[in-house]
Amino acid sequence: METVDTATIPAARREPPPFRLDEDEEINPAFVDAVSDAVGAGDRGRVSLLVEDLHQADVGTLLEALEPEERPQLIELLGRDFDFSALTEVDDAVREEILEELETETVAEGVRDLDSDDAVYILEDLTDADQAEILQHLPAVERVALQRALDYPEDSAGRLMQTEFIAVPPFWTVGQTIDFMRETEELPDTFYEIFVVDPGIRLLGSVPLDKLLRSKRPVRISGIMLDEPDQVEATDQQEDVARRFQRYNLVSAAVIDEAGRLVGVITIDDVVDVIEEEADAEIKALGGVKPDEELSDNVWEIARGRFTWLLVNLLTAILASAVIGLFEKSLEKMVALAVLMPIVASMGGNAGTQSMTVAVRALATRNLGRGNVRRIVGREILVGLINGVAFALVMGVVAVVWFGLPSLGPVIGLALIVTLTSAAFGGIVIPVLLDRFEVDPAVASGPFVTTITDVVGFFAFLGIATLWFGLG
Amino acid sequence: METVDTATIPAARREPPPFRLDEDEEINPAFVDAVSDAVGAGDRGRVSLLVEDLHQADVGTLLEALEPEERPQLIELLGRDFDFSALTEVDDAVREEILEELETETVAEGVRDLDSDDAVYILEDLTDADQAEILQHLPAVERVALQRALDYPEDSAGRLMQTEFIAVPPFWTVGQTIDFMRETEELPDTFYEIFVVDPGIRLLGSVPLDKLLRSKRPVRISGIMLDEPDQVEATDQQEDVARRFQRYNLVSAAVIDEAGRLVGVITIDDVVDVIEEEADAEIKALGGVKPDEELSDNVWEIARGRFTWLLVNLLTAILASAVIGLFEKSLEKMVALAVLMPIVASMGGNAGTQSMTVAVRALATRNLGRGNVRRIVGREILVGLINGVAFALVMGVVAVVWFGLPSLGPVIGLALIVTLTSAAFGGIVIPVLLDRFEVDPAVASGPFVTTITDVVGFFAFLGIATLWFGLG
């Protein structure tokens, strides 16, 4: 018999918390339930115990796993123990919902403790009025810094940067610099280089931390600084910044304004998020899904977003059907054509998608440019032709055996050669042209390529059949 | 009149080098031509002048832009001035070709100067015999370190890591550590943390550089180290390592072997490449292109790689045609069905692709798991149903107007509802099931989803029409 009086044990300690992550590093449903129960009971002690030391990324996952109404409750219960950087790890829709529910003071308080890049990330999707209200609760220094970052255009380097950095004059020594850093309380959370500036805060150079550590104390900063530090402009597109980081293996880069003044620093962890977002947007665009569709969106938002794409597709499908309509007589005379025609169109569609995928990828990674576009287009056409011939042989035999009609072989074979070659051509040329006219090829190529492959596929097959068999 | 005797100016200085990058930061064709001419003339001085100070990433781009036979010539001409890390920036096929042409001594010499992660990257695709020959030319220490990294499985953390790192005992002071770093010549090129180990080189903790810099000289390392440093195992998959870096915003992580010994360090720049490769592979897989297809591959390799995918697609297309074949009689009696049927299949295909894209993405980013799979599947079915009804109305009206046959409206409408709902269901459930059976959903989902949408699309439309109009 147990004789312990559970009432004497503080509620928070009564049962051991379940494992928070399972073996796949996914969040454990039993843990989510435990948090949910504690939040429901308003048991601050138990909630604290449960989420204590949990990494902000996992707190984000936890928030998403909770019921919508529990999320702000959890944050209010934790109070000062809640690290607002967890909010940078949740879907936009979830974050907006949470921020709407929280008291302005709570948000202002939470945002103040963050590095400015995280604060901007949390504030930027709010309405101007909400932003102003929260900023108003902040001390002047933080307010000005955040306001300046928010004034830069969306998706610019200025939005991504952190305004906390260390800048020293060139005439300081390594020793002075190290002592300064030892004595200063308010340093950025993490940093990989310090900057060298003139009295007008114009960027003169940078010193990576490892270089600083390896230099002797009396050495002057001007003697060890890199004269051409990695830098981007605050108005640069985040996408271009990410490409620079990737191309030159950067870990951090200075951000300067139009006047060449140092205004912030961008670090690789923010860039990794941009890279991931870019890839995400590209994959979704190619699949006909809006780049900003998120798992937490509701059914109506999602259905409406996808409707647009399907409507565009319906128009191309109707166009293809109109082509078939031209050959109604042939189809009436020879129903085998109706059975076989989707094969031609489908093969064309897939071959076109292959070329298009390669083109969109190469454009996104800047591997396809004026220098090699001719060679790549030529190569794609050749690949289309080779596979066209290959499948002409395969499908020619299949069609003859299937319908016992020898002349169906050359007809479907010829149609496949024409269709696969055009598909390859369209698949590579359309994205290149769209890119040249500054239309995102990942978003817009699909419908054009499909139209070409469907129209050419049906027209070639039914047209050749009509001529060959004299069905006109 | 010019009176300068050009013969007295060294050839290398005679004309100013053209801009190396154009305004889009793409490599300037005129620059490539200039390098090509200098290489052709065997003019070492001019080649050096042209590529001097060019970033390794841009040297990589330059190599790819040159003719294949000029690439090894450029490297031999530059001799010790050529930084072999540029070879990590070119396509695999280009690198293999270059390495084949170079002298073993040149490669061994070049690889010796690299950080071990770059050296492994360059060596890992060579045959065992070639690797052994090159390793033989290296000093014992480098040889053993590289051999150990190469012994880890492909795509493991062990292949990605750098074996150069700084490890100190916990009882050292900050001062001792900094002095050690100042006095040691052979430090890694860049590093962001130092490690703390016991005499058996087992990992005890880590100290980020900024923390080290901010601590006073007499402080003991044990007092400022992180007790649970970010770490991965050498045999971990690179993909999993990349996800950890992304999730927890890491910049560097220790790599330990089975015995808990520190064997290397992985830094974010290598992980960024893995993230980019993963995204690239996912996009290509969804588009029916082999993940390792590269722009520099030749026509035959590419055609063969894509043939496989098209062959799978041909089988699903034949299956769909076989379904149409079941309704030959109906088609003979009513040719409008042949005209309209591709619309139903095409809409289904696109709706299926949308759901599939969302599922593949959510699985890749670990946002779709046991916790939310029911909700997401339910939501997709609902989205499919909503858009099915919407397009039933749109297309119902179009069909009636087009063919002047009122009962075509409900027939195609019903078919669209059935097809779009099944497409959404298949699009979400197939990737989830494949993932559960540990088959890559990005590679394998497409054919299954297409089969479902085509078969259901044709069967629903032709079946409903046959029943409705009594065509059987």
Side-chain angles (χ1 to χ4, degrees):
Chain A
M1 285 289 286
E2 292 271 345
T3 53
V4 181
D5 179 4
T6 52
T8 63
I9 305 175
R13 313 253 155 216
R14 225 168 285 156
E15 42 179 297
F19 287 112
R20 303 193 287 194
L21 300 184
D22 64 17
E23 62 278 21
D24 292 336
E25 301 209 349
E26 279 187 43
I27 199 148
N28 184 354
F31 170 62
V32 176
D33 289 344
V35 173
S36 174
D37 290 346
V39 168
D43 185 344
R44 192 188 183 290
R46 178 144 178 90
V47 170
S48 286
L49 185 77
L50 283 168
V51 304
E52 167 172 77
D53 293 334
L54 195 60
H55 190 283
Q56 63 195 46
D58 299 322
V59 176
T61 313
L62 169 65
L63 281 172
E64 290 191 335
L66 289 172
E67 294 298 319
E69 66 279 7
E70 294 171 341
R71 295 165 185 160
Q73 288 169 13
L74 172 75
I75 296 170
E76 298 280 7
L77 268 177
L78 285 173
R80 298 284 304 164
D81 289 344
F82 177 76
D83 180 349
F84 265 64
S85 59
L87 288 182
T88 64
E89 311 276 348
V90 301
D91 274 2
D92 294 351
V94 172
R95 181 169 53 252
E96 277 163 44
E97 243 181 66
I98 292 176
L99 290 174
E100 220 148 86
E101 290 301 315
L102 291 176
E103 300 289 328
T104 311
E105 286 81 11
T106 313
V107 179
E109 189 86 352
V111 160
R112 200 170 61 185
D113 294 338
L114 299 180
D115 274 344
S116 64
D117 54 341
D118 287 340
V120 167
Y121 191 86
I122 289 175
L123 294 178
E124 66 180 353
D125 290 330
L126 297 180
T127 63
D128 287 352
D130 286 346
Q131 280 181 11
E133 211 187 317
I134 292 166
L135 287 173
Q136 213 188 301
H137 284 81
L138 292 177
V141 182
E142 272 103 348
R143 187 169 63 233
V144 171
L146 285 185
Q147 189 59 62
R148 190 161 63 169
L150 286 167
D151 285 344
Y152 284 111
E154 209 180 333
D155 294 325
S156 68
R159 288 283 183 94
L160 202 61
M161 73 187 180
Q162 186 175 316
T163 52
E164 297 88 2
F165 52 81
I166 300 169
V168 300
F171 51 81
W172 274 24
T173 62
V174 168
Q176 267 178 301
T177 307
I178 292 181
D179 292 343
F180 167 77
M181 299 198 317
R182 284 190 184 137
E183 283 149 22
T184 310
E185 285 289 312
E186 291 254 329
L187 288 181
D189 275 0
T190 341
F191 54 99
Y192 314 107
E193 58 182 345
I194 61 163
F195 299 107
V196 188
V197 293
D198 72 7
I201 325 278
R202 268 182 299 269
L203 183 65
L204 299 176
S206 75
V207 183
L209 289 197
D210 56 330
K211 193 150 183 187
L212 190 67
L213 265 170
R214 279 188 257 184
S215 306
K216 301 216 184 279
R217 287 183 63 90
V219 172
R220 283 218 185 281
I221 290 293
S222 55
I224 57 168
M225 76 180 188
L226 305 173
D227 294 331
E228 291 178 14
D230 296 307
Q231 55 184 286
V232 298
E233 284 183 38
T235 50
D236 284 351
Q237 286 284 306
Q238 291 180 4
E239 193 187 330
D240 296 328
V241 173
R243 205 160 34 241
R244 268 189 89 83
F245 266 73
Q246 269 178 286
R247 183 157 166 185
Y248 297 120
N249 292 332
L250 310 184
V251 170
S252 110
V255 182
I256 54 169
D257 67 10
E258 323 76 70
R261 275 186 308 257
L262 180 64
V263 290
V265 55
I266 289 181
T267 50
I268 183 80
D269 53 317
D270 302 312
V271 172
V272 166
D273 294 338
V274 173
I275 294 172
E276 182 69 15
E277 270 169 38
E278 294 282 325
D280 196 71
E282 191 179 330
I283 293 170
K284 285 183 177 158
L286 285 169
V289 177
K290 282 197 172 176
D292 55 357
E293 184 184 307
E294 291 181 326
L295 274 191
S296 49
D297 289 351
N298 72 44
V299 171
W300 289 104
E301 285 165 340
I302 292 179
R304 207 174 47 216
R306 299 202 195 155
F307 179 88
T308 316
W309 173 263
L310 291 175
L311 189 62
V312 173
N313 175 64
L314 181 63
L315 299 179
T316 83
I318 289 177
L319 195 66
S321 289
V323 171
I324 301 173
L326 298 175
F327 297 97
E328 277 195 29
K329 284 222 178 68
S330 309
L331 288 166
E332 268 170 10
K333 291 181 191 158
M334 197 170 177
V335 78
L337 300 181
V339 176
L340 289 174
M341 67 185 185
I343 293 180
V344 179
S346 157
M347 292 300 284
N350 277 275
T353 302
Q354 288 179 327
S355 298
M356 182 183 87
T357 303
V358 169
V360 166
R361 258 309 39 210
L363 289 166
T365 55
R366 301 280 155 134
N367 283 319
L368 184 58
R370 281 159 211 272
N372 60 355
V373 67
R374 270 161 205 277
R375 185 174 70 77
I376 302 292
V377 170
R379 194 197 66 181
E380 285 298 322
I381 295 175
L382 215 54
V383 168
L385 186 64
I386 291 170
N387 277 332
V389 172
F391 284 102
L393 295 173
V394 174
M395 196 53 219
V397 172
V398 171
V400 171
V401 172
W402 189 347
F403 291 92
L405 197 63
S407 31
L408 259 181
V411 168
I412 198 166
L414 266 177
L416 278 167
I417 293 173
V418 171
T419 308
L420 264 67
T421 311
S422 321
F425 178 72
I428 191 92
V429 164
I430 287 168
V432 169
L433 287 179
L434 288 170
D435 186 62
R436 209 157 280 180
F437 290 111
E438 305 202 345
V439 179
D440 182 354
V443 174
S445 300
F448 288 105
V449 174
T450 314
T451 306
I452 289 188
T453 58
D454 280 1
V455 168
V456 171
F458 291 127
F459 196 86
F461 180 57
L462 297 175
I464 293 170
T466 303
L467 292 177
W468 194 287
F469 297 111
L471 302 171
Chain B
M1 286 288 285
E2 293 271 345
T3 54
V4 182
D5 179 4
T6 53
T8 63
I9 306 174
R13 312 256 157 213
R14 226 169 283 156
E15 41 178 297
F19 288 112
R20 303 193 286 196
L21 299 184
D22 64 17
E23 61 277 21
D24 292 337
E25 301 209 346
E26 279 187 45
I27 200 149
N28 184 353
F31 170 62
V32 176
D33 289 344
V35 173
S36 173
D37 290 346
V39 168
D43 187 343
R44 191 188 183 291
R46 179 142 179 91
V47 169
S48 286
L49 185 76
L50 284 167
V51 304
E52 162 172 82
D53 293 335
L54 195 61
H55 190 284
Q56 63 196 42
D58 298 323
V59 176
T61 314
L62 170 65
L63 281 172
E64 289 191 334
L66 289 172
E67 294 299 320
E69 66 279 9
E70 294 171 341
R71 295 166 186 158
Q73 289 170 13
L74 173 76
I75 296 170
E76 298 280 8
L77 269 177
L78 285 173
R80 298 283 306 164
D81 290 344
F82 178 76
D83 180 349
F84 265 65
S85 60
L87 289 183
T88 64
E89 310 276 347
V90 301
D91 275 2
D92 294 350
V94 172
R95 182 170 51 253
E96 277 164 43
E97 242 179 67
I98 292 176
L99 290 174
E100 219 148 87
E101 290 300 314
L102 291 176
E103 300 288 328
T104 312
E105 285 81 12
T106 313
V107 179
E109 190 85 351
V111 160
R112 199 169 63 185
D113 293 338
L114 300 180
D115 274 345
S116 65
D117 53 341
D118 287 341
V120 167
Y121 192 86
I122 288 176
L123 294 179
E124 67 181 352
D125 289 332
L126 297 179
T127 63
D128 288 351
D130 286 345
Q131 281 181 9
E133 211 188 318
I134 292 165
L135 288 174
Q136 212 189 305
H137 284 83
L138 294 177
V141 182
E142 271 102 345
R143 188 171 61 233
V144 171
L146 286 185
Q147 189 59 61
R148 190 162 62 171
L150 285 168
D151 285 344
Y152 284 110
E154 211 180 331
D155 294 324
S156 68
R159 288 283 183 95
L160 202 62
M161 73 186 180
Q162 188 176 314
T163 51
E164 297 88 2
F165 52 80
I166 299 170
V168 300
F171 52 82
W172 275 24
T173 62
V174 168
Q176 267 177 301
T177 306
I178 291 181
D179 292 342
F180 167 76
M181 298 197 320
R182 283 187 185 142
E183 282 149 25
T184 310
E185 286 288 312
E186 292 253 330
L187 288 181
D189 275 1
T190 343
F191 55 98
Y192 313 108
E193 60 182 342
I194 61 165
F195 298 107
V196 188
V197 293
D198 71 8
I201 325 279
R202 268 183 298 269
L203 184 66
L204 299 176
S206 75
V207 184
L209 289 196
D210 56 331
K211 192 147 184 193
L212 190 66
L213 266 170
R214 279 188 257 184
S215 305
K216 301 219 185 275
R217 286 184 63 91
V219 172
R220 283 219 186 279
I221 290 295
S222 55
I224 56 168
M225 75 179 188
L226 306 173
D227 293 331
E228 291 178 14
D230 296 307
Q231 56 184 286
V232 297
E233 284 183 38
T235 49
D236 284 352
Q237 285 284 305
Q238 291 182 4
E239 194 187 330
D240 297 327
V241 172
R243 208 164 28 245
R244 268 189 89 84
F245 266 73
Q246 269 178 286
R247 182 157 166 185
Y248 297 120
N249 292 332
L250 309 186
V251 171
S252 110
V255 182
I256 54 168
D257 66 11
E258 322 76 69
R261 276 187 307 258
L262 179 63
V263 289
V265 56
I266 289 180
T267 50
I268 181 84
D269 54 316
D270 302 312
V271 171
V272 166
D273 294 338
V274 173
I275 294 172
E276 181 69 15
E277 270 169 38
E278 293 283 324
D280 197 72
E282 189 178 332
I283 293 170
K284 285 183 177 157
L286 285 169
V289 177
K290 282 199 171 173
D292 55 357
E293 184 184 308
E294 292 182 325
L295 274 191
S296 49
D297 289 351
N298 73 46
V299 170
W300 290 103
E301 285 165 341
I302 293 179
R304 206 174 47 216
R306 298 204 196 152
F307 178 88
T308 317
W309 172 263
L310 291 175
L311 189 63
V312 173
N313 175 65
L314 181 63
L315 298 179
T316 82
I318 289 177
L319 195 67
S321 288
V323 171
I324 301 173
L326 298 176
F327 297 96
E328 275 194 31
K329 283 220 180 70
S330 310
L331 288 166
E332 268 169 11
K333 290 181 191 157
M334 197 170 178
V335 76
L337 300 182
V339 176
L340 289 174
M341 67 184 185
I343 293 180
V344 179
S346 158
M347 293 300 285
N350 277 275
T353 302
Q354 287 178 329
S355 298
M356 181 183 87
T357 303
V358 169
V360 167
R361 259 311 37 213
L363 288 167
T365 55
R366 303 277 154 136
N367 283 319
L368 184 56
R370 280 160 211 274
N372 61 355
V373 66
R374 270 161 205 278
R375 186 175 67 79
I376 301 292
V377 170
R379 194 198 66 182
E380 285 297 321
I381 295 174
L382 214 55
V383 168
L385 186 64
I386 291 169
N387 277 332
V389 172
F391 284 102
L393 296 173
V394 174
M395 195 54 220
V397 173
V398 171
V400 171
V401 172
W402 190 347
F403 291 91
L405 196 63
S407 32
L408 260 181
V411 168
I412 197 166
L414 266 176
L416 278 167
I417 294 173
V418 171
T419 307
L420 265 68
T421 311
S422 323
F425 177 72
I428 192 91
V429 163
I430 286 169
V432 169
L433 287 180
L434 287 170
D435 186 61
R436 208 156 282 181
F437 290 111
E438 305 203 344
V439 179
D440 182 354
V443 174
S445 299
F448 288 104
V449 173
T450 314
T451 305
I452 289 189
T453 57
D454 280 1
V455 167
V456 171
F458 290 129
F459 195 87
F461 179 57
L462 297 175
I464 293 170
T466 301
L467 290 177
W468 193 287
F469 296 111
L471 301 171

